[in-house]
Amino acid sequence: MKIGLDIMGGDFAPKATVLGAIEAAKILPEGQQLVLIGDKDVALSILQENNFSAENFEFVHTTEVIGMGEHPAKAVIKKPGSSISVGFQLLKDGGIDAFSSAGNTGAMLVGSVLSVKTIEGVIRPAMSTNVPKLTGGFGILVDVGANADCKPEYLPQFGVLGSLFAESVYGMVSPRVSLLNIGEEEEKGNALCQAVYPLMKENKNFNFVGNIEGRDLFSDHADVYVTDGFTGNVALKMAESFYVISLKKQIKDEFFARFNYEQYGGSPILGINAPVVVGHGISSPEAIKNMVLLSRDMAQSGLVEKIKNAFQ
């Protein structure tokens, strides 16, 4: 298995990404190799500084980068030599089995759809994140930003994607799928939620357990929380702030520590024809390592084939 990593993506790239690649390489077993996509000379220099052999990696050299502030679609088209574009071309051609980057999120979404494309039957790919539970473990929140504006028919598909991801990658048995809403009652919510509820209730492709409110997001009421990308992204950013606040207030608490984004590595793009993970722009080496391992786990789990089968 070959796992592609964009070493030019992220606020602290390429140093943080290469250091993260070193940590991931220490864990990967024989038969699994990292392919570093980006400036090879810089990568070799960082590896030499850290006394780590370059023989642990394959390299695909490119110096062009899509910046964080660039327009995603325009950048992907105008910069075919960028580390993100090259990574997706390798993924499309079978040169790598999974791809991850902490670079421009929009470019990663655009690149996914333009290169490996959306799985047939999936209307819109979605992004997910892990949400810690007070009782231990975590749930899956989907969508967290890929689709700010959603039609009712999108969300039941998010339920299928999230359920299969939880089941395949994390081993959850018959994960409980819920709709994030402003009340538990079936008739509650805005026009979108009211239209979505009966569609999810009728869907036999996942274990639907009804609405949950925001206050239940960190409870054990469900395993997969479905929402539109706008609401999901707001919830994600708020959850991330819990960890930052706990550090600033010098609160040492195991639960708040589990809000640290570094532990989860990144957000998978679900519903496309290959494993792709997008990392946080401020990703540290620890986050990069976990992002790489998550993309590996997605490839190992056969998640893409399972999604294809579900949408046939």
Side-chain angles (χ1 to χ4, degrees), residues 191-202:
L192 177 64
C193 288
Q194 289 179 18
V196 166
Y197 191 99
L199 297 179
M200 294 188 70
K201 187 177 180 180
E202 295 164 6

Side-chain angles (χ1 to χ4, degrees), residues 7 10 16 49 71 79 93 107 159 210 251 296:
I7 62 171
E49 289 173 5
H71 188 281
K79 291 185 172 181
D93 295 340
I251 299 171
R296 184 276 310 268

